[in-house]
């Protein structure tokens, strides 16, 4: 009996070694090339009709096989045409059968606000509960799908680096966030957390934000764009639900709950700035109207134009962007003086003026050369 077991073990080892030598992977592929990991992207959108055209265009332009991506999209309590934009985009990508699957629940019926909300940026306990439930549902769905990764991606994030997903996977972290810039010093990570679980200023923040040091850095909080490696068993401890964390005393907040739970489970959180991944909107104050977010988007688009190409728009999404009617701001004329040998500066200025709704005349500068 022992001899038979030994022979069976030896046969199994030999077969395994043969597969390795011949370049055959576990799927029977003799090329030795494995499929990329599967990813579920979880998207929550509420009152984001102004950011969605750019956000969805950039998601579609990620350099990653769409057949290995599943989309999980939820939207409700909108006061704008967020629902229409999402349905239109989903319909357009479904025609090509590119993505592995798309699960969407998009509600546009009243009431527009949840509970005692006083405005679109007012976060009540009931609203936090709702978001916590949605994020936890997304996490559990990814696990049930046996997805290798789940990427929580907020709809006011703009991933401008096409290789972002590939690089985040290659960094091999259980939880990681691509560092995102803004039109200020706001980003999607904290370098310090107080005893009450809120933001704490530290000297480490600026060198990471300005990419004076590059790599992946252990931090106490990441949010807005967070990828989780579900292949690693320890990821099973991650949750957004406060009641699932032993002795949790923090606030009723999805991102703080997730961070505290990860830290209690000895799961390090990383922010990665090895690439210039993209941008994030600065959140509104509680009393701000939606118009404040529109202005924030213009500010961010101008910030992008200072050094980079403009945020792209697909043909399907371009129709949802409206620019202000250009005028001269009460002046007789506005002139832009530009060197003819610097057409790239003129183009950047033309794009900026279009965003701001300013009508200007261009005149050539005297070239000192």
């Amino acid at each position: 009996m022992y001899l038979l077991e030994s022979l069976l073990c030896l046969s199994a080892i030999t077969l395994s070694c043969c597969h390795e030598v011949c370049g055959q992977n576990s799927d029977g592929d003799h090329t030795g090339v494995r499929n990329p990991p599967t990813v579920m992207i979880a998207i929550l959108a509420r009152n984001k009709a102004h950011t969605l055209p750019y956000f969805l265009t950039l998601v579609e332009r990620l350099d990653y096989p769409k057949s290995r991506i599943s989309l999980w999209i939820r939207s409700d309590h909108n006061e704008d045409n967020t629902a229409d934009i999402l349905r239109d985009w989903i319909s357009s990508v479904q025609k090509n059968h590119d993505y592995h699957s798309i699960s969407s629940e998009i509600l546009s019926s009243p009431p527009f606000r949840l509970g005692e909300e006083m405005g679109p940026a007012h976060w009540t306990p009931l609203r936090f509960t709702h978001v916590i439930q949605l994020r936890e549902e997304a996490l559990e769905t990814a696990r049930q799908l046996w997805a290798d990764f789940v990427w929580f991606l907020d709809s006011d994030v703009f991933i401008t680096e096409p290789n972002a997903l590939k690089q985040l996977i290659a960094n091999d972290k259980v939880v990681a966030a691509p560092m995102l810039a803004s039109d200020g010093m706001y980003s999607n990570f904290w370098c310090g957390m107080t005893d009450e679980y809120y933001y704490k200023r530290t000297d480490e923040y600026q060198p990471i934000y300005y990419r004076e040091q590059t790599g992946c850095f252990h931090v106490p909080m990441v949010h807005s764009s967070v990828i989780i490696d579900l292949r690693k068993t320890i990821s099973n401890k991650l949750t957004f639900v406060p009641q699932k964390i032993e002795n949790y005393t923090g606030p009723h907040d999805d991102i703080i709950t997730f961070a505290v739970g990860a830290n209690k489970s000895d799961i390090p959180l990383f922010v990665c700035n090895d690439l210039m991944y993209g941008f994030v909107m600065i959140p509104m104050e509680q009393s701000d109207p939606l118009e404040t977010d529109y202005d924030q988007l213009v500010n961010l688009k101008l910030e992008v134009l200072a050094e980079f190409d403009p945020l792209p728009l697909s043909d399907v999404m371009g129709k949802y962007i409206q620019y202000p009617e250009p005028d001269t701001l009460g002046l007789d004329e506005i002139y832009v003086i530009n060197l003819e040998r610097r057409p790239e500066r003129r183009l950047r200025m033309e794009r900026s003026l279009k965003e701001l709704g300013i009508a200007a005349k261009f005149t050539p500068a005297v070239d000192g050369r």
Side-chain angles (χ1 to χ4, degrees):
M1 184 65 178
Y2 290 113
L3 177 60
L4 177 59
E5 290 179 353
S6 299
L7 288 172
L8 287 172
C9 289
L10 181 60
S11 298
I13 293 170
T14 303
L15 181 60
S16 175
C17 292
C18 179
H19 283 180
E20 186 173 349
V21 170
C22 297
Q24 180 177 354
N25 65 23
S26 59
D27 297 324
D29 180 1
H30 291 269
T31 66
V33 179
R34 293 180 180 273
N35 283 323
T38 56
V39 181
M40 191 189 91
I41 301 179
I43 299 168
L44 300 181
R46 183 182 183 191
N47 294 325
K48 293 299 178 183
H50 51 300
T51 66
L52 277 173
Y54 303 102
F55 169 82
L56 294 170
T57 297
L58 289 164
V59 167
E60 201 170 350
R61 293 190 179 189
L62 287 169
D63 185 11
Y64 200 84
K66 291 182 173 58
S67 62
R68 307 295 289 174
I69 296 176
S70 295
L71 299 174
W72 187 94
I73 302 171
R74 298 293 184 270
S75 181
D76 52 39
H77 300 90
N78 294 297
E79 300 177 40
D80 59 13
N81 63 333
T82 289
D84 295 333
I85 294 173
L86 285 171
R87 291 191 184 104
D88 193 10
W89 183 78
I90 291 171
S91 176
S92 70
V93 297
Q94 280 179 331
K95 291 177 182 177
N96 298 324
H97 306 286
D98 288 338
Y99 291 99
H100 180 268
S101 65
I102 302 176
S103 168
S104 64
E105 291 184 10
I106 301 169
L107 308 178
S108 53
S109 57
F112 291 133
R113 292 178 180 164
L114 195 61
E116 301 298 321
E117 292 176 23
M118 302 301 294
H122 185 200
W123 282 82
T124 64
L126 184 59
R127 181 171 178 178
F128 273 115
T129 297
H130 182 56
V131 171
I132 287 169
Q133 291 171 344
L134 288 174
R135 293 203 191 278
E136 190 74 4
E137 180 188 343
L139 182 57
E140 290 301 323
T141 299
R143 287 167 174 159
Q144 292 166 12
L145 286 174
W146 289 10
D148 295 319
F149 291 84
V150 59
W151 189 6
F152 289 91
L153 193 57
D154 288 358
S155 51
D156 54 4
V157 165
F158 309 108
I159 302 295
T160 54
E161 171 53 60
N163 292 307
L165 186 49
K166 289 180 179 177
Q167 185 62 38
L168 289 169
I169 290 173
N171 285 337
D172 194 29
K173 307 297 183 186
V174 180
V175 180
M179 195 211 74
L180 304 169
S182 68
D183 65 331
M185 276 189 59
Y186 175 80
S187 189
N188 59 319
F189 72 100
W190 299 355
C191 275
M193 182 182 284
T194 67
D195 292 338
E196 291 76 31
Y197 308 110
Y198 287 106
Y199 178 79
K200 180 180 180 181
R201 288 175 179 248
T202 67
D203 293 334
E204 294 80 16
Y205 185 88
Q206 287 195 36
I208 296 175
Y209 182 83
Y210 288 115
R211 303 184 69 233
E212 296 167 6
Q213 306 166 4
T214 56
C216 291
F217 303 90
H218 184 193
V219 294
M221 159 70 84
V222 290
H223 59 86
S224 299
S225 175
V226 178
I227 191 166
I228 303 171
D229 189 344
L230 299 177
R231 302 171 302 179
K232 294 181 168 61
T233 305
I234 198 170
S235 70
N236 293 332
K237 297 182 179 181
L238 294 169
T239 183
F240 292 94
V241 179
Q243 291 78 7
K244 292 184 179 181
I245 301 174
E246 187 176 357
N247 299 322
Y248 179 77
T249 57
H252 190 60
D253 180 296
D254 54 310
I255 61 174
I256 294 179
T257 300
F258 180 84
V260 171
N263 293 327
K264 282 178 173 285
S265 301
D266 295 321
I267 301 174
L269 309 179
F270 289 90
V271 63
C272 300
N273 67 354
D274 45 346
L275 298 177
M276 179 56 201
Y277 285 99
F279 301 86
V280 63
M281 295 271 286
I282 296 176
M284 294 188 292
E285 298 294 334
Q286 181 170 289
S287 60
D288 286 341
L290 267 178
E291 288 73 18
T292 301
D293 216 36
Y294 304 160
D295 293 338
Q296 294 275 30
L297 178 59
V298 172
N299 292 340
L300 182 61
K301 288 194 285 184
L302 293 175
E303 183 76 14
V304 173
L305 283 172
E307 294 186 48
F308 305 97
D309 292 334
L311 296 179
L313 283 169
S314 67
D315 292 338
V316 174
M317 291 289 98
K319 64 187 177 186
Y320 291 106
I321 297 298
Q322 294 183 343
Y323 298 95
E325 192 68 29
D327 61 42
T328 58
L329 307 179
L331 304 171
D332 292 332
E333 293 288 353
I334 296 175
Y335 296 96
V336 179
I337 305 172
N338 171 247
L339 283 169
E340 291 183 331
R341 59 182 167 84
R342 297 305 299 269
E344 76 285 354
R345 288 189 173 184
R346 173 170 179 152
L347 179 59
R348 184 179 297 131
M349 182 58 72
E350 287 174 342
R351 288 167 170 167
S352 299
L353 294 172
K354 182 177 180 181
E355 293 288 350
L356 295 168
I358 297 176
K361 291 183 177 180
F362 283 80
T363 187
V366 175
D367 197 330
R369 290 187 181 179

